Amino acid sequence: MTEVSMCSSTGGGELTPEEERVLIRDIAISAEANSKEGDTFYLITQRWWQHWIEYVNQDQPNITIDGSSLLEHGDLVGSSKRPASINNSDLIYDATSEDLHVGIEIHDSLLEGRDYVLLPQEVWNQLHSWYGGGPTLARKVISSGLSQTELAVEVYPLRLQLLVTPKGDHSTIRISKKETIGELHRRACEIFYLNSEQVCIWDYYGHRKHALMHDMDKTLDDANIQMDQDILVEVLNNGNGGLSASKGASRSCSAELSQGQNLTSPAGEVDNTYGVSGVSTRGSSSGLTGLHNLGNTCFMNSAIQCLVHTPEFAKYFREDYHQEINLQNPLGMVGELAIAFGELLRKLWAPGRTAVPPRQFKAKLARFAPQFSGYNQHDSQELLAFLLDGLHEDLNRVKHKPYIKSRDADGRPDEEVADEYWANHIARNDSIIVDVCQGQYKSTLVCPVCNKVSVTFDPFMYLSLPLQSTTTRSITVTVFSCDGSTTPFACTVTVPKQGRCRDLIHALSNSCSLKNNEELKLAEVQNHVFQRFLEDPLISLSTIKDDDHLAAYKIPKSVKKTLVLRLIHRRQERETNDSQTASRWKPYGIPLLSSISCDDVITRGDIQTVVHKMLSPLLRAESLRQADIADSNTLVVASDACHDSSPGEACSDPISDSIRNSSSKGSSSSKALASLKLPLQLVDENNACIDLSVGEEKAIRLSSSATSIIVYVDWSQELLEKYDTHYLENLPEVLKYGPVNKKARTEPLSLYTCLEAFLREEPLVPEDMWYCPQCKERRQASKKLDLWRLPEVLVIHLKRFSYSRSMKHKLETFVNFPIHDLDLTSYVANKNSTRRQLYELYALTNHYGGMGSGHYTAHIKLLDENRWYNFDDSHISPISEDEVKTAAAYVLFYRRVKSDGAISNGGKPSEGHHSSQI
């Protein structure tokens, strides 16, 4: 259920962006302080909202309203221009509903914060008065929660199908679940022009009469009416086409119940009499019963529903399981957890669909697992792990566990060792949980010193698959332009994790808008000099580490012969040796790269010109206004660069006409050039330094085989006052830590890729070092996992949450998981099994939102109906398989497909499993 949250925002006609922001903030705060049941909130598309947020915060990007950053609503889009009119078209269906009683229908799968934002009525009114647009999507605030004291916006009112018998008319309506049965009765009569005294309405779930709805003061929520279900509108004494002028007809349909009258339903089926014995009870065989949220217990409800709808567990706990309760197991809970779970399961499968409050079960849970006490949000998978382990110990058929010492493999066949390990495990652990959920994997450890190989076979209850090992990685590179057109800027691109250097250059070329007449030179910078040039397009990107520093240089393509000019920055640093202090020029900053044509003679002045052009974006505007700078030909590169640079760059201020034209007032060109002479030193082939600040016409002698030249620029204090060199001081690392961008969040990741990352060989972390029996010491060995024995029900946990410095973060990576035919044949190391290892998805838990305000739901496939349902605490609604595919999956439940077919295609999953997009 959507929480009522204050989203302060708005935009304005003649007001400034700042005035709009402040006004909407004040309106929102006031509305929040006075919010109550019955208030109206309005949906507004997240896309427009984000644009407005950027607009009103363009001068203060980190502004906060109502205690939270406006930028938390997502990646800002568009520019800082004033938004156009409000356009909610992406929230609604294109086609207008044929039924006037439904109104404008919004998409069924919208999420707050992702697709829309809820605005209080006062905020919406102000926004709409400024911007106009629409359509208007109003929703009411209702009471919710176990105590009915929480406020929530009912974004999705009940959508009900009204079916009239015997006429056969039908209509769809939207109505709040907090409306009364009397209001539903009134609206049904109004829609079909019926006499209210001759109409009865029935809870008509599954085209079977479940209950007569005669308590007119009862709410639809209390009557357990669900989304998209049918309501039977029954007309009695319909001798006049369903209308009757008889005022004496009984209003109470209950009087008709004793007459044994049979009526034909719109579906063409003949119901039994209206007596209680003839009413079909919803949920008697389908298990469509919800769990009340006792206060942030959605994490528990979602996990329970998945276990309850595991067929093997449903059958086991509905029969007499008490004889298997182990009262002697010191690791168990004296059977109390198993009994509490069994009783809860029976209630959920019992006839009737009234939601069950799991208070007794939660009390037992808190008693044996205090970490889940209280009413804070917890991790659904952590609860599931505790519950499976606790149920196993409570139901362990082994009353006295024997002591068994495991033996080393000692070169024995894997099959023999695996069977021995499994037999030893079963001798101590034998329960319904082991029968259904436990498998076995092969663990291979290799000592890095003596190469000792140790093989063990360990049981598992579920697989925790990492999401960090994606197929792509982000690389940050600082881009420099040698023609003086722009200041340096950092560029982050996404490349294949196992890609080549050409992939990185291609991504950078697209990202930095490389022109057709330009190319990129990529280099690694270390200690202020070039460490290496990444010129080979086949260099693996795995050689680039996260803490490396990369720079890319835009240089012109040339058909002529060119040299690469490497410009190294130096500054004076004092050194003290043997009580003597001396100053030396040492490299600092980020080196630059450019090209220089060598078809003609290269002079010292040519190099001065090239370096001037490279440094021109860094030239301070004040330095251009000095009286002795007069030669416009010398300054044209710097001035043009300043004129063309974007706002916020070092050279953003244009040079005034008076300065630009000062050369016409008698100043000589030689004087202007001399004032900007750079202290450049060229290192020749003999390692001798040539001063390039004198003798500009002198030619530089280079061997015919030379491909590059190295030039040092010595930054004196006087020169530093002319140039803003902060752009050259820091080079970000390849991995730029920070929030995951939207593209990375939405990039699909195959479930098979996650499994391969889990199984691949990796070194153990230092705290998990392994004791090598041959070295007689603890070693940080490498570890390789292989699946060996698969369970009947395979539980897969997607590790969406990561920890750093005691903080918990969520990975929003979208995982592409198969619903049908999860093929694990190629991942099973035990080749004695000749059947394919195929699994079918039947349940999953989902996690939506962030850490503090997240919400868990469950998607369950009822096998007898072959239909998927969404279990959202006490609310259950049918969903399509496509909706399951796009779920925010957290824990997946797969059942083995019973098939003895031969392995085809070598047992390898088809490419479609790996690359199909959901």
Side-chain angles (χ1 to χ4, degrees):
M1 188 172 293
T2 308
E3 294 294 330
V4 174
S5 58
M6 296 311 303
C7 320
S8 337
S9 18
T10 323
E14 302 299 326
L15 301 180
T16 66
E18 170 66 10
E19 289 171 336
E20 291 184 15
R21 183 186 66 79
V22 172
L23 179 58
I24 290 301
R25 179 198 63 189
D26 295 342
I27 294 174
I29 292 174
S30 175
E32 178 185 29
N34 299 290
S35 61
K36 61 186 180 303
E37 186 176 3
D39 286 351
T40 302
F41 272 64
Y42 292 80
L43 278 72
I44 191 168
T45 176
Q46 178 79 352
R47 184 181 306 164
W48 190 94
W49 174 259
Q50 287 177 303
H51 192 166
W52 182 84
I53 290 296
E54 185 185 43
Y55 169 65
V56 298
N57 288 285
Q58 53 188 297
D59 296 327
Q60 41 189 338
N62 295 321
I63 193 69
T64 59
I65 290 183
D66 192 28
S68 60
S69 174
L70 289 175
L71 302 185
E72 289 178 358
H73 289 293
D75 302 319
L76 295 180
V77 296
S79 66
S80 58
K81 295 181 180 179
R82 189 173 188 270
S85 61
I86 299 169
N87 183 1
N88 281 336
S89 59
D90 58 341
L91 302 181
I92 65 175
Y93 287 103
D94 294 334
T96 304
S97 173
E98 297 178 359
D99 202 319
L100 299 178
H101 307 289
V102 173
I104 300 174
E105 281 283 79
I106 65 173
H107 291 286
D108 289 334
S109 57
L110 300 180
L111 288 178
E112 184 182 2
R114 183 193 72 181
D115 304 304
Y116 67 88
V117 174
L118 288 169
L119 301 180
Q121 182 171 0
E122 299 85 349
V123 173
W124 166 263
N125 290 343
Q126 187 65 73
L127 273 174
H128 196 261
S129 70
W130 286 336
Y131 291 95
T136 300
L137 304 173
R139 295 295 186 267
K140 291 292 186 182
V141 175
I142 62 173
S143 59
S144 65
L146 191 60
S147 61
Q148 295 293 302
T149 57
E150 302 172 13
L151 296 182
V153 178
E154 190 178 27
V155 175
Y156 289 100
L158 291 175
R159 181 173 50 212
L160 304 177
Q161 280 282 344
L162 303 181
L163 308 175
V164 181
T165 181
K167 291 178 60 178
D169 293 344
H170 63 88
S171 179
T172 302
I173 68 167
R174 281 280 192 180
I175 185 170
S176 172
K177 62 184 178 182
K178 292 300 180 180
E179 288 289 1
T180 63
I181 292 174
E183 175 62 16
L184 176 62
H185 185 275
R186 185 194 67 79
R187 290 184 59 180
C189 295
E190 181 182 85
I191 291 170
F192 298 112
Y193 305 100
L194 299 173
N195 186 331
S196 62
E197 295 184 352
Q198 296 185 356
V199 170
C200 294
I201 56 176
W202 288 81
D203 181 347
Y204 196 63
Y205 184 82
H207 288 284
R208 302 297 299 274
K209 293 174 181 174
H210 169 64
L212 176 65
M213 302 172 67
H214 57 82
D215 186 348
M216 296 300 170
D217 296 326
K218 193 174 186 178
T219 67
L220 300 179
D221 191 26
D222 292 335
N224 199 26
I225 302 301
Q226 302 294 321
M227 178 73 74
D228 290 322
Q229 79 159 73
D230 297 335
I231 299 293
L232 184 64
V233 181
E234 200 156 33
V235 183
L236 306 178
N237 299 327
N238 57 322
N240 189 22
L243 294 171
S244 174
S246 173
K247 301 290 185 180
S250 172
R251 251 192 98 187
S252 174
C253 296
S254 59
E256 304 289 340
L257 297 180
S258 61
Q259 298 179 8
Q261 180 183 6
N262 293 333
L263 290 180
T264 304
S265 72
E269 60 182 352
V270 178
D271 288 340
N272 293 327
T273 59
Y274 294 161
V276 176
S277 61
V279 176
S280 173
T281 304
R282 294 186 295 172
S284 59
S285 61
S286 60
L288 288 174
T289 303
L291 287 166
H292 279 298
N293 192 321
L294 305 180
N296 286 322
T297 56
C298 57
F299 77 96
M300 180 182 75
N301 293 349
S302 59
I304 288 174
Q305 291 288 11
C306 290
L307 291 182
V308 162
H309 287 88
T310 299
E312 292 83 355
F313 294 156
K315 181 176 184 295
Y316 177 84
F317 283 100
R318 291 165 77 183
E319 296 175 349
D320 186 12
Y321 64 92
H322 292 82
Q323 59 184 354
E324 292 199 335
I325 291 177
N326 191 331
L327 302 176
Q328 306 171 32
N329 189 353
L331 300 178
M333 282 144 272
V334 204
E336 291 188 29
L337 183 66
I339 293 174
F341 178 79
E343 290 178 351
L344 181 59
L345 181 145
R346 292 186 176 196
K347 289 179 181 178
L348 294 176
W349 280 98
R353 275 196 63 199
T354 302
V356 176
R359 294 189 188 90
Q360 292 181 346
F361 177 81
K362 188 179 185 305
K364 293 293 183 184
L365 182 67
R367 175 182 174 185
F368 296 110
Q371 65 269 30
F372 298 119
S373 61
Y375 294 94
N376 293 323
Q377 183 69 279
H378 295 282
D379 192 314
S380 181
Q381 188 273 333
E382 292 177 2
L383 168 76
L384 183 68
F386 170 81
L387 194 51
L388 286 174
D389 188 62
L391 291 175
H392 158 66
E393 296 296 353
D394 266 4
L395 299 169
N396 197 345
R397 303 176 185 114
V398 179
K399 307 304 180 185
H400 303 282
K401 296 185 178 184
Y403 171 75
I404 302 174
K405 185 177 180 180
S406 59
R407 295 191 300 156
D408 291 336
D410 291 332
R412 291 180 293 157
D414 283 346
E415 290 75 14
E416 178 184 336
V417 179
D419 289 344
E420 181 181 283
Y421 269 83
W422 187 252
N424 292 344
H425 175 66
I426 294 299
R428 295 172 54 84
N429 303 276
D430 183 15
S431 70
I432 180 64
I433 305 299
V434 174
D435 297 342
V436 175
C437 291
Q438 285 200 354
Q440 185 183 34
Y441 58 75
K442 174 185 176 183
S443 176
T444 305
L445 286 164
V446 181
C447 177
V449 177
C450 67
N451 293 323
K452 164 71 175 177
V453 178
S454 175
V455 176
T456 59
F457 293 85
D458 304 307
F460 67 85
M461 191 97 71
Y462 51 85
L463 299 178
S464 287
L465 305 187
L467 300 190
Q468 298 93 326
S469 301
T470 60
T471 56
T472 60
R473 65 183 291 201
S474 294
I475 291 183
T476 298
V477 180
T478 304
V479 180
F480 296 84
S481 178
C482 69
D483 62 359
S485 59
T486 59
T487 52
F489 61 93
C491 182
T492 301
V493 294
T494 301
V495 293
K497 196 167 188 180
Q498 303 301 325
R500 304 287 180 175
C501 187
R502 62 190 176 197
D503 300 314
L504 176 56
I505 292 177
H506 178 72
L508 286 170
S509 300
N510 292 334
S511 183
C512 68
S513 303
L514 195 70
K515 300 175 183 176
N516 292 331
N517 62 344
E518 292 178 324
E519 62 179 342
L520 283 179
K521 288 281 188 182
L522 194 62
E524 180 186 343
V525 175
Q526 196 175 101
N527 297 325
H528 314 296
V529 296
F530 294 107
Q531 177 69 17
R532 61 168 175 161
F533 287 92
L534 302 173
E535 296 177 311
D536 185 351
L538 297 180
I539 292 177
S540 174
L541 294 182
S542 62
T543 64
I544 299 175
K545 307 304 180 186
D546 288 345
D547 56 352
D548 286 346
H549 301 268
L550 296 186
Y553 302 88
K554 291 183 181 181
I555 62 174
K557 291 180 181 177
S558 178
V559 294
K560 299 179 180 180
K561 184 179 179 182
T562 58
L563 290 173
V564 174
L565 188 156
R566 307 183 191 181
L567 183 66
I568 311 296
H569 310 283
R570 295 193 302 189
R571 64 182 174 187
Q572 279 190 323
E573 291 185 7
R574 293 184 177 273
E575 289 186 349
T576 302
N577 291 318
D578 299 329
S579 301
Q580 294 183 347
T581 301
S583 295
R584 293 184 57 187
W585 290 97
K586 286 192 172 184
Y588 96 105
I590 307 164
L592 301 180
L593 203 68
S594 186
S595 61
I596 184 169
S597 174
C598 57
D599 278 352
D600 302 322
V601 175
I602 301 176
T603 66
R604 298 180 183 182
D606 293 335
I607 296 179
Q608 281 277 346
T609 301
V610 171
V611 176
H612 267 297
K613 184 183 294 186
M614 296 167 68
L615 298 178
S616 60
L618 312 181
L619 196 61
R620 299 181 189 273
E622 312 86 78
S623 63
L624 295 175
R625 295 186 176 91
Q626 296 176 6
D628 60 341
I629 299 179
D631 188 89
S632 61
N633 293 325
T634 303
L635 296 180
V636 67
V637 174
S639 64
D640 287 347
C642 291
H643 183 72
D644 294 339
S645 61
S646 60
E649 294 180 344
C651 242
S652 58
D653 292 334
I655 307 172
S656 65
D657 291 339
S658 60
I659 296 178
R660 189 175 296 181
N661 297 327
S662 61
S663 58
S664 62
K665 298 181 181 178
S667 298
S668 67
S669 150
S670 59
K671 179 181 178 182
L673 183 62
S675 66
L676 286 178
K677 280 284 177 60
L678 297 172
L680 304 180
Q681 302 283 335
L682 181 140
V683 179
D684 65 11
E685 297 170 338
N686 299 318
N687 286 329
C689 289
I690 301 174
D691 188 355
L692 302 181
S693 61
V694 295
E696 61 179 309
E697 295 84 6
K698 288 187 178 181
I700 296 175
R701 296 180 182 179
L702 300 170
S703 68
S704 58
S705 61
T707 59
S708 65
I709 57 175
I710 298 177
V711 176
Y712 290 97
V713 55
D714 295 331
W715 290 93
S716 63
Q717 187 60 40
E718 180 183 359
L719 195 61
L720 289 173
E721 293 175 357
K722 296 179 180 293
Y723 289 87
D724 183 0
T725 59
H726 82 273
Y727 290 98
L728 304 176
E729 292 174 357
N730 294 308
L731 198 60
E733 294 181 349
V734 161
L735 180 59
K736 188 178 182 181
Y737 289 96
V740 181
N741 57 37
K742 187 173 184 179
K743 181 177 179 182
R745 285 200 305 268
T746 57
E747 182 180 347
L749 178 63
S750 167
L751 183 65
Y752 290 103
T753 303
C754 299
L755 181 60
E756 288 159 5
F758 172 74
L759 297 175
R760 79 165 56 101
E761 182 175 355
E762 290 183 348
L764 295 175
V765 294
E767 52 266 29
D768 288 337
M769 287 198 301
W770 166 68
Y771 180 80
C772 175
Q774 189 161 302
C775 294
K776 306 297 184 184
E777 290 184 17
R778 295 179 66 82
R779 302 291 188 193
Q780 193 174 343
S782 60
K783 184 177 183 179
K784 173 74 169 65
L785 294 178
D786 291 288
L787 299 178
W788 188 267
R789 186 190 307 268
L790 294 178
E792 292 302 307
V793 169
L794 180 63
V795 181
I796 297 179
H797 164 223
L798 303 177
K799 296 174 69 175
R800 291 199 174 276
F801 300 111
S802 60
Y803 295 87
S804 62
R805 295 188 179 182
S806 75
M807 292 292 291
K808 200 172 184 181
H809 306 276
K810 183 184 177 186
L811 301 173
E812 296 288 355
T813 309
F814 178 73
V815 178
N816 183 350
F817 55 91
I819 293 180
H820 308 288
D821 296 336
L822 172 66
D823 193 346
L824 302 180
T825 310
S826 63
Y827 301 103
V828 178
N830 183 3
K831 300 307 177 185
N832 279 355
S833 177
T834 57
R835 66 172 180 172
R836 294 181 65 187
Q837 304 290 335
L838 296 178
Y839 284 83
E840 190 92 355
L841 186 73
Y842 71 92
L844 65 154
T845 64
N846 311 297
H847 185 272
Y848 298 97
M851 287 303 306
S853 59
H855 182 60
Y856 288 96
T857 66
H859 291 343
I860 310 288
K861 184 178 184 180
L862 298 189
L863 302 181
D864 56 341
E865 293 186 19
N866 195 31
R867 187 176 185 182
W868 284 93
Y869 287 87
N870 178 49
F871 285 71
D872 186 353
D873 291 329
S874 59
H875 304 281
I876 304 170
S877 56
I879 55 174
S880 66
E881 192 169 281
D882 287 339
E883 291 177 275
V884 177
K885 291 178 182 178
T886 56
Y890 184 44
V891 182
L892 303 164
F893 291 75
Y894 284 92
R895 290 188 78 216
R896 186 194 297 276
V897 176
K898 304 295 183 182
S899 173
D900 294 326
I903 297 175
S904 62
N905 193 27
K908 184 69 177 175
S910 65
E911 287 300 313
H913 281 123
H914 292 274
S915 60
S916 63
Q917 302 297 308
I918 294 179

